[in-house]
Amino acid sequence: MTWHDDLYVGESIVHKTNRIKWKICHNAGQLNIYVIALASNESNLLDIIPAKELLQKGYPKQNLYVVGLAKGYDEAVEVAASIVDLVYHKTGGFAVKNYLTGNH
C-alpha cells in the first residue's frame, strides 16, 4: 500500500490522520473509515473502500495507492468529488491517476 504525499482528508478526521493511517497499516479495525484510492480498473476514476475490507487476508493491498481518507460514506463521496473537481479545474480533463501520480 502506497500513501499519496498530500493526502486528501475529510474535515471530521483531519486532526486524526496520522493515527488512522497507522491503524490501517497495522491492521487495526477502523469503523466507519473509508479509504479513497486510485481506481483498480480503467473504467473508474477513484475507488472508495471501507477500511474494514482491508483487514481481509486476500485483499489486494500491495497495489493500492491511497489518495484520501474520510469518516463515513457521505464524506468519502465528498472528498472523492473534490479530488475529481480539483483535477478537472487544474487540467480541463479527468485524468485523475495521471494528475495525482505526477504524470500530467
Side-chain angles (χ1 to χ4, degrees):
M1 184 176 341
T2 306
W3 295 87
H4 186 61
D5 291 334
D6 190 20
L7 203 62
Y8 297 89
V9 181
E11 290 180 23
S12 66
I13 59 169
V14 73
H15 56 285
K16 300 178 185 178
T17 304
N18 290 333
R19 182 181 172 126
I20 291 170
K21 280 176 60 175
W22 185 90
K23 284 186 171 187
I24 289 171
C25 289
H26 290 87
N27 291 322
Q30 292 287 291
L31 293 177
N32 209 25
I33 297 295
Y34 286 79
V35 171
I36 301 158
L38 292 181
S40 56
N41 64 50
E42 296 296 321
S43 300
N44 300 334
L45 299 176
L46 296 167
D47 289 338
I48 298 174
I49 306 161
K52 63 184 176 186
E53 278 190 24
L54 301 177
L55 296 174
Q56 298 176 23
K57 282 188 176 186
Y59 199 90
K61 290 190 282 190
Q62 65 273 11
N63 294 327
L64 202 61
Y65 188 85
V66 179
V67 296
L69 291 170
K71 182 175 183 179
Y73 184 76
D74 291 340
E75 187 173 75
V77 170
E78 288 176 17
V79 172
S82 68
I83 294 169
V84 172
D85 187 53
L86 171 78
V87 171
Y88 180 75
H89 281 90
K90 294 272 186 176
T91 67
F94 294 101
V96 174
K97 186 175 188 174
N98 290 339
Y99 181 81
L100 294 175
T101 57
N103 298 328
H104 49 113

